[in-house]
Amino acid sequence: MDTKIFKTSEQEIGEAGKIIRKGGLAAFPTETVYGLGASAFSSDAAKKIYEAKGRPSDNPLIVHVCDKNQICDIAEEIPDGARAVIDKFMPGPITIILKKKQIIPDTVTGGLETVAIRFPKNETAVRLIKAAGVPIAAPSANLSGKPSPTKAKHVIKDMMGRIDAIIDGGNCEVGVESTIVDFSGEKPVILRPGGVTYNDLKEHGIDVEIDKNILQSVSANEAPKCPGMKYKHYAPEAEVTVVEGEESAVREKIKELLDGVHGKTAGVLTMCSADYDNAVILSAGSTNKEYAKNLFSALREFDELGVEIVFAEFCEKDGYALAVKNRLYKAAAQRVIHV
Ligand code: TXA
Ligand code: MG
């Protein structure tokens, strides 16, 4: 398949919108990560997404809207807490799970009776949804299992030849995927931490619990609330180990670990720009917010540089800590050393 690369002119966004309206696939930027979009009203188009990504078809897609009224078209009922999220945090990096209306096909929701809904803030994303004239079902635009794309070049690497078009709208600002809050049960629960933090929600009087599977792997006999939790995620070619704790202790431990690496190329993802010997060093930034923005891109870069073993420093700094740890632990397949 010939994949068209678009920029963000009126004409190009219009063309990408038309591709989606007609049942094709177009990748687009959002403020979190790039999405791989198809019409949320088309079962066939949703099937193409699962195929292009190599994604298991029981892992549902997020439906993206471009105004708040569209939410009522696709969700059955909107509880008070969800209403508060819509009022305070949309558009923005947050997704809510509500009971779905019939108009959303089962293929989009992986057979679930609920639908995940997000109103992104990114201007290109909003213009595309308007141009398409339909809500857009979109997972992150990476091959299943790979780190989510935060730059157009990541999407090109994973999706070239597999989809109809890619809109290059620059780098994603947040860098990790949206916070997911499930409002379909008795109590609202954060299923995935992201750009809107637990404290942000709390400060606006939105009372939520945090799902226990956010920082641990799902056991084999368990059906997680968020189907995505049970699949392999963010796995670079390199073997990642997280070293977590107070800065100087983290540094000492990584020096010791590097001394034990023989015959392999090692890398360090650093928060404190420590100079390590015999390692490829990439900066994650000094705050957890910067870490979120840089993490996926750095994981891909280590692979490009041929790094085989990565030690990732992690020190808790701000409200983004949970979102970063959730992705790091998955990238590291739970290899975490606390010092
Ligand atoms: O920031 C984001 O959310 C990005 C951008 C493109 O919007 N999208 C994204 O989609 O991260 P994806 O497909 O990579 O992750 C969606 C997650 C999956 O883990 C999926 O299992 C979960 O949301 N999910 C979707 N619908 C659900 C539902 N009805 N109930 C529970 N979990 C759901
Ligand atoms: Mg994803």
Side-chain angles (χ1 to χ4, degrees), residues 32 55 59-60 62 64 97 114 118 139-140 177-178 180 192 228:
T32 57
R55 177 175 174 123
N59 192 4
I62 294 176
H64 297 69
I97 294 182
T114 53
R118 167 153 136 75
S140 48
E177 308 88 338
S178 61
I180 301 180
R192 182 176 71 186

Side-chain angles (χ1 to χ4, degrees), residues 191-213:
L191 299 182
R192 182 176 71 186
V196 174
T197 67
Y198 173 75
N199 278 337
D200 292 336
L201 292 165
K202 223 168 135 186
E203 276 164 23
H204 284 87
I206 302 162
D207 192 21
V208 294
E209 286 173 359
I210 300 180
D211 193 278
K212 66 170 177 46
N213 284 323

Side-chain angles (χ1 to χ4, degrees), residues 134-151:
V134 287
I136 296 183
S140 48
N142 51 286
L143 286 172
S144 192
K146 291 287 158 207
S148 298
T150 55
K151 300 179 178 178

Side-chain angles (χ1 to χ4, degrees), residues 39-232:
S39 166
F41 293 156
S42 164
S43 187
D44 286 345
K47 279 185 198 146
K48 288 188 200 165
I49 289 185
Y50 293 106
E51 243 167 65
K53 274 185 66 98
R55 177 175 174 123
S57 60
D58 69 344
N59 192 4
L61 312 175
I62 294 176
V63 176
H64 297 69
V65 299
C66 60
D67 76 64
K68 294 182 181 180
N69 293 329
Q70 256 183 336
I71 298 173
C72 308
D73 299 342
I74 57 182
E76 202 52 75
E77 54 194 271
I78 303 177
D80 288 347
R83 173 73 54 201
V85 169
I86 295 167
D87 287 347
K88 312 276 192 223
F89 296 104
M90 288 194 184
I94 190 158
T95 295
I96 52 175
I97 294 182
L98 301 171
K99 299 222 165 66
K100 84 172 181 79
K101 277 193 174 152
Q102 283 293 329
I103 190 162
I104 299 294
D106 287 345
T107 329
V108 168
T109 63
L112 297 176
E113 287 304 309
T114 53
V115 58
I117 304 172
R118 167 153 136 75
F119 176 3
K121 198 176 201 148
N122 178 283
E123 194 201 324
T124 305
V126 172
R127 285 170 61 208
L128 176 69
I129 304 166
K130 282 191 182 142
V134 287
I136 296 183
S140 48
N142 51 286
L143 286 172
S144 192
K146 291 287 158 207
S148 298
T150 55
K151 300 179 178 178
K153 70 171 185 185
H154 303 154
V155 184
I156 291 169
K157 169 113 198 303
D158 282 14
M159 291 297 155
M160 204 63 187
R162 308 175 76 91
I163 61 177
D164 299 291
I166 296 169
I167 301 176
D168 178 351
N171 300 348
C172 301
E173 212 177 299
V174 177
V176 292
E177 308 88 338
S178 61
T179 305
I180 301 180
V181 188
D182 183 1
F183 285 99
S184 70
E186 298 242 308
K187 238 193 141 205
V189 186
I190 296 183
L191 299 182
R192 182 176 71 186
V196 174
T197 67
Y198 173 75
N199 278 337
D200 292 336
L201 292 165
K202 223 168 135 186
E203 276 164 23
H204 284 87
I206 302 162
D207 192 21
V208 294
E209 286 173 359
I210 300 180
D211 193 278
K212 66 170 177 46
N213 284 323
I214 280 178
L215 291 183
Q216 63 186 36
S217 52
V218 176
S219 53
N221 54 2
E222 193 181 356
K225 287 206 198 80
C226 181
M229 283 173 172
K230 66 178 183 278
Y231 293 111
K232 193 172 156 187

